[in-house]
Amino acid sequence: MTQPDLTGIKFFIQTFGCQMNENDSEHIAGILSAAGARPVTAPDESNLVVINTCAVREKSVEKLYSLLGRLSKFKKDKEYLIGVAGCVAQLYRSDILEKKPCVDFVIGPDNYWKLPEMLKSHFQEKFIATQWYRDWHEIPEIQRTTAVSGYITVMEGCNNFCSYCVVPFTRGREKFRPAQNILSEAENLASMGYLEVQLLGQNVNSYRDPETGTGFSALLEAVDQVQDLVWIRFITSHPKNIDPQLIHTMQQAKSICHQLHLPIQAGSEAVLKRMNRGYSRKEYMAVISHLKDAMPDIALSTDIIVGFPGETEADFQQTLDVLEQVRYTNIFSFRYSARPLTAASRMEGSIPLEIKKERLQRVQDLQKKLQSEMNQAKVGKIYDVLCHGKSKKDPQVYSGRNYAHQVVNFSSGQECEGKFIRVHITGSGPYSLKGRAPD
Ligand code: 5AD
Ligand code: SF4
């Protein structure tokens, strides 16, 4: 198929949300560039703005609408297009076009590959592209935003229907990318000099190769064989799909970081059940023990939701207790917010905002204390750090991440960007480490 020509289009992409969305924006940029369009770095230099939205938590629509308010001043004529992509697009579809006349098109996550064709055939007409496709659509060109760590999508969608979560409605059912394509992308990144890859999906460890039926551990083992990749990470894993084979693979592999993001969401058995998470607290804690037994240096992180409908103070205490027991390297914590179409949005026992705020503060205070202690104990150690570039706060200082995915800010007399540097840790805070590279 010949690509429709979009020469003359100068696009700017605004991204909200997680790594998955960042990677989707790299895909959209690749698709548009392959069709002849050109990226620019500010909306006022562009004639096409794509807003890639996230709908996981509340305020997504307000955030989108306020940005549209600001962007609409650039739209003086019909030659300036504004498109809404991502989960909010999938969820609200025609509502967006009705409520915001400045929007020209709405495109859901399963439809990006069609964007050039849609733009070409509907230029200056409004369109909505939010169909679901059963097959995997390979994106031939990706325009990456960093040259150090490369994202690789391995699967899309989710079948779990956690009762609070909108993702199964915005990203659809699970769809897996052929392992061969994943491996080619990993090899390609390694040959371009990337030292790290991060395999991405809503639920990476439910992966099955659509061609051979082999699972996630086999995929990891194959990526581990790629020459010159030093670190491999993957996100997000579901606790119910962590099996002994995966733990064994992580332990034996040469390049897989001993680091795992394993969202627990809540510490109370009763809350976990109402969340429809598919594991008990006991089962989750057993997985943590197996991981720590196999890899004593493993760095764990998690997601926490506070104030889920019906969460009592005693339930909440159970969440604090998990933090004390597991001692996560870091956590992402959120106040529960009701999302459209979800089962939890219809549950009774809504928790007052004040209590949700107070619980979130307590979670964050406890975790800050634990991280301060754990990081303090790292002073004096030496870590290999993959340097991502200069620190945003202080251009005298380099910034990178260690195997545990912790931020390490360090000084060095040499150019470090894109390299592995041995860093001597000289100081710590709750959210990062500080160090020095030997001269
Ligand atoms: N309210 C609050 N947090 C949520 N998350 C997902 N849905 C909601 C919701 N309705 C959080 C979960 C998930 C992370 C990506 O976002 O912790 O793991
Ligand atoms: Fe949402 Fe649960 Fe699926 Fe994660 S596993 S994307 S929280 S439904």
Side-chain angles (χ1 to χ4, degrees):
M1 186 187 77
T2 53
Q3 286 283 357
D5 182 15
L6 293 185
T7 338
I9 293 269
K10 291 175 279 175
F11 66 88
F12 174 79
I13 304 178
Q14 173 73 52
T15 311
F16 294 114
C18 61
Q19 291 105 320
M20 195 80 193
N21 256 19
E22 285 171 25
N23 189 222
D24 280 357
S25 291
E26 294 181 330
H27 290 176
I28 298 171
I31 291 164
L32 289 172
S33 301
R38 174 162 73 79
V40 292
T41 51
D44 58 337
E45 293 164 17
S46 73
N47 53 11
L48 166 63
V49 174
V50 180
I51 308 168
N52 188 7
T53 59
C54 169
V56 169
R57 287 174 293 277
E58 66 189 333
K59 302 236 168 77
S60 52
V61 179
E62 290 92 317
K63 226 158 129 182
L64 168 68
Y65 285 3
S66 90
L67 178 63
L68 284 171
R70 276 176 277 140
L71 285 176
S72 57
K73 70 171 183 283
F74 299 118
K75 193 181 169 81
K76 294 189 190 75
D77 53 41
K78 283 195 126 194
E79 300 293 310
Y80 193 95
L81 301 185
I82 298 181
V84 177
C87 291
V88 176
Q90 188 66 42
L91 205 55
Y92 295 100
R93 304 177 195 198
S94 56
D95 271 13
I96 302 173
L97 290 186
E98 277 159 28
K99 297 213 173 94
K100 289 285 159 184
C102 67
V103 175
D104 297 285
F105 64 89
V106 168
I107 188 159
D110 217 10
N111 293 259
Y112 300 148
W113 56 278
K114 297 197 299 205
L115 186 55
E117 268 176 65
M118 297 295 289
L119 281 174
K120 189 123 190 256
S121 52
H122 294 275
F123 201 73
Q124 297 192 351
E125 275 172 51
K126 300 209 175 215
F127 67 83
I128 300 180
T130 50
Q131 289 94 314
W132 294 116
Y133 294 89
R134 196 196 290 223
D135 295 327
W136 184 268
H137 273 100
E138 199 55 30
I139 307 292
E141 197 175 303
I142 300 170
Q143 203 168 76
R144 300 191 180 268
T145 43
T146 93
V148 181
S149 179
Y151 294 133
I152 304 181
T153 295
V154 303
M155 57 88 64
E156 256 290 341
C158 183
N159 296 350
N160 288 325
F161 290 91
C162 299
S163 63
Y164 51 82
C165 185
V166 77
V167 167
F169 304 97
T170 61
R171 297 239 175 211
R173 296 298 81 75
E174 289 179 354
K175 226 169 17 182
F176 304 124
R177 185 177 181 195
Q180 266 315 320
N181 304 6
I182 297 169
L183 276 175
S184 309
E185 192 172 333
E187 279 158 6
N188 190 24
L189 285 169
S191 71
M192 289 192 292
Y194 283 78
L195 296 174
E196 177 182 272
V197 295
Q198 303 193 52
L199 308 185
L200 298 183
Q202 267 75 37
N203 226 329
V204 282
N205 54 343
S206 72
Y207 178 83
R208 295 249 152 250
D209 181 357
E211 280 155 10
T212 64
T214 55
F216 188 57
S217 298
L219 177 71
L220 280 178
E221 281 160 26
V223 178
D224 192 49
Q225 296 305 310
V226 174
Q227 294 282 314
D228 302 327
L229 280 182
V230 186
W231 277 351
I232 300 165
R233 304 180 191 274
F234 49 94
I235 192 165
T236 295
S237 303
H238 197 296
K240 74 177 164 52
N241 301 115
I242 301 280
D243 54 24
Q245 178 60 43
L246 177 58
I247 298 177
H248 181 76
T249 300
M250 286 183 77
Q251 186 195 33
Q252 300 293 314
K254 71 175 166 50
S255 307
I256 300 174
C257 289
H258 288 179
Q259 175 251 323
L260 193 65
H261 184 63
L262 206 57
I264 186 168
Q265 312 295 1
S268 143
E269 297 285 14
V271 172
L272 284 173
K273 214 174 221 145
R274 289 204 301 282
M275 286 180 161
N276 191 32
R277 283 293 286 171
Y279 55 81
S280 65
R281 173 199 173 108
K282 216 167 142 210
E283 284 162 343
Y284 180 92
M285 295 307 272
V287 169
I288 296 287
S289 298
H290 292 146
L291 286 161
K292 286 184 171 176
D293 287 346
M295 293 166 280
D297 61 341
I298 192 160
L300 297 160
S301 57
T302 201
D303 290 345
I304 299 286
I305 297 176
V306 301
F308 185 79
E311 184 189 65
T312 62
E313 172 61 24
D315 288 325
F316 174 67
Q317 294 278 348
Q318 293 290 304
T319 299
L320 296 178
D321 184 64
V322 168
L323 299 187
E324 300 256 19
Q325 283 194 40
V326 178
R327 296 180 77 84
Y328 296 100
T329 308
N330 75 320
I331 68 165
F332 300 87
S333 51
F334 312 101
R335 292 198 305 255
Y336 167 76
S337 60
R339 306 307 295 126
L341 308 176
T342 59
S345 68
R346 299 184 290 274
M347 284 181 189
E348 292 180 354
S350 160
I351 304 295
L353 180 62
E354 280 316 307
I355 296 185
K356 286 198 243 181
K357 283 187 178 166
E358 184 243 0
R359 288 184 185 164
L360 187 67
Q361 193 60 51
R362 283 159 71 198
V363 158
Q364 292 178 347
D365 288 347
L366 171 62
Q367 183 61 21
K368 185 174 178 187
K369 176 182 111 54
L370 295 170
Q371 284 181 205
S372 299
E373 285 167 18
M374 288 185 287
N375 287 349
Q376 179 61 38
K378 293 175 179 163
V379 174
K381 295 197 174 192
I382 291 171
Y383 286 109
D384 286 330
V385 173
L386 180 54
C387 178
H388 289 249
K390 292 272 167 64
S391 151
K392 285 192 188 87
K393 284 194 203 134
D394 180 355
Q396 304 299 318
V397 170
Y398 284 102
S399 187
R401 294 199 182 245
N402 64 4
Y403 82 94
H405 213 232
Q406 287 186 287
V407 172
V408 182
N409 296 312
F410 62 98
S411 57
S412 170
Q414 286 157 30
E415 176 54 49
C416 296
E417 182 165 348
K419 294 184 193 153
F420 271 100
I421 308 290
R422 303 220 97 179
V423 177
H424 187 114
I425 303 302
T426 54
S428 72
Y431 306 112
S432 63
L433 299 172
K434 221 166 71 182
R436 176 168 32 78
D439 293 326

